[in-house]
Amino acid sequence: MKILKTVEELQNIRKTISSNVGFVPTMGALHNGHISLIKKAREENDIVIVSIFLNPTQFLPGEDLDNYPRRDEADKRICELCKVDYLFMPEISTMYEKEEVLIKAPNKSYILEGKTRPGHFDGVLQVVLKLFGIVQPTNAYFGKKDAQQLTLIMQMVKNLFLCVNIVPCEIVREEDGLALSSRNIYLDSNQRKDALCLSQSLFMAGALISRGERNSQIIKDRINEVMKDLDIEYIAIVDREFNEIDTIEVKNTIILIVVRFGKTRLLDNIWL
Ligand code: AMP
């Protein structure tokens, strides 16, 4: 595995590759969720490129940019074990200039995640577009865990006529159901126990729907009951284009939950 720091190095290598390139962009502190994306990319492509870049433009002032877990050495070992060909680890100054051509995410980026974190998705799309420009992947792998991000990236690819195939990947969970996240390490033991309510309520909603329930409000009420006293930021039931829906459409619905545990926000969702 080669570790690359500059855009020129990666672009020069890219010019020599004529076969399929699978790309997995990450912010590091790699866990089994990231690893599942890398493994899928490894299975489906000749060359695998992973990026680790803690992108400052997607963090709002006061968010956890400065405290975000960094584990560069462990991440390098994981990528090596997963047989990654190239690991791109640029500095901020490599990725951004003082003044930039900016990408503006559409209105749907200001609901749900974007309502609490206005501007977050502008930063996400900005960095993903830059990375696509450098890597020029055939296939790029994103987790369904960040459902709104995935949807907006797919829209960007469509709107900007980018030549990349986006591959949505299933959510990887702990054995007890908690969706893996780099931010889970912020939870204390009580919060860790309470955090199980997210996946449990989503699985319960999935079971209700498979028994025939189609009313979104009833499902939201039942999720609320499971969450009891937790600090719920939102429960949303949307179609695959992120329009809120009153009636569940099987195969076209995502149920999303965000709960706050102190300063830590945990996201989870299921795709029906
Ligand atoms: P991040 O490092 O948080 O930017 O995540 C990098 C990629 O990993 C994104 O596409 C995430 O959606 C994906 N990801 C994060 N957690 C999980 C998970 N538990 N299961 C599947 N994919 C995940």
Side-chain angles (χ1 to χ4, degrees):
M1 183 180 82
K2 255 200 167 138
I3 297 171
L4 308 169
K5 293 264 177 203
T6 69
V7 173
E8 291 75 28
E9 279 174 291
L10 185 46
Q11 280 181 325
N12 285 335
I13 286 169
R14 182 65 185 91
K15 279 184 205 146
T16 66
I17 304 171
S18 55
S19 44
N20 275 5
V21 172
F23 176 46
V24 184
T26 80
M27 297 203 296
L30 302 181
H31 52 63
N32 281 336
H34 300 109
I35 291 172
S36 72
L37 271 53
I38 299 172
K39 284 190 172 155
K40 199 164 164 59
R42 182 68 283 168
E43 279 162 27
E44 297 179 356
N45 300 274
D46 299 311
I47 299 292
V48 173
I49 302 178
V50 172
S51 65
I52 294 179
F53 179 61
L54 192 50
N55 174 38
T57 63
Q58 69 189 73
F59 287 80
L60 272 65
E63 288 190 342
D64 59 344
L65 174 63
D66 294 336
N67 299 323
Y68 197 86
R70 299 212 65 149
R71 290 200 289 266
D72 286 358
E73 291 313 309
D75 289 350
K76 287 179 197 169
R77 281 198 295 280
I78 289 171
C79 288
E80 189 112 46
L81 284 171
C82 291
K83 302 199 172 9
V84 168
D85 296 290
Y86 300 102
L87 175 57
F88 182 47
M89 300 177 81
E91 299 293 331
I92 293 173
S93 57
T94 306
M95 292 297 286
Y96 287 105
E97 289 181 35
K98 270 206 185 108
E99 234 192 308
E100 293 257 324
V101 172
L102 295 175
I103 179 151
K104 169 105 181 57
N107 287 342
K108 285 223 176 85
S109 72
Y110 288 89
I111 57 169
L112 303 176
E113 278 309 281
K115 192 168 175 195
T116 320
R117 308 181 72 191
H120 164 69
F121 287 118
D122 294 330
V124 170
L125 296 185
Q126 184 84 11
V127 78
V128 170
L129 184 60
K130 279 171 182 275
L131 290 166
F132 282 178
I134 304 165
V135 176
Q136 299 192 15
T138 322
N139 300 303
Y141 296 79
F142 291 90
K144 288 182 175 177
K145 162 107 189 323
D146 298 290
Q148 199 173 357
Q149 164 176 292
L150 171 59
T151 306
L152 288 165
I153 289 169
M154 288 173 111
Q155 187 180 345
M156 175 177 76
V157 165
K158 188 165 166 257
N159 290 166
L160 301 184
F161 307 107
L162 304 180
C163 226
V164 48
N165 174 43
I166 303 297
V167 184
C169 300
E170 295 306 322
I171 299 175
V172 176
R173 298 177 179 281
E174 302 278 8
E175 253 176 41
D176 61 8
L178 180 69
L180 295 186
S181 162
S182 304
R183 291 188 169 104
N184 288 351
I185 56 160
Y186 299 148
L187 302 174
D188 66 29
S189 59
N190 283 332
Q191 292 172 329
R192 173 67 182 76
K193 270 186 222 144
D194 287 344
L196 281 184
C197 283
L198 276 89
S199 54
Q200 281 168 356
S201 65
L202 288 170
F203 297 154
M204 182 271 306
L208 278 178
I209 292 162
S210 61
R211 276 188 253 126
E213 184 56 67
R214 294 288 178 270
N215 184 317
S216 297
Q217 192 53 52
I218 291 178
I219 298 202
K220 282 188 194 171
D221 291 345
R222 294 295 304 277
I223 291 176
N224 253 310
E225 283 165 23
V226 176
M227 302 288 222
K228 287 174 289 195
D229 303 325
L230 297 184
D231 184 5
I232 301 170
E233 189 177 299
Y234 63 78
I235 300 169
I237 301 188
V238 298
D239 65 17
R240 297 280 158 95
E241 280 162 6
F242 270 78
N243 304 303
E244 298 240 14
I245 48 175
D246 295 330
T247 306
I248 305 285
E249 298 162 24
V250 175
K251 294 204 173 145
N252 186 31
T253 298
I254 310 172
I255 307 180
L256 307 119
I257 303 181
V258 173
V259 177
R260 287 196 213 93
F261 294 91
K263 280 188 172 170
T264 309
R265 297 172 74 248
L266 292 191
L267 293 73
D268 202 348
N269 63 66
I270 49 166
W271 296 53
L272 301 171

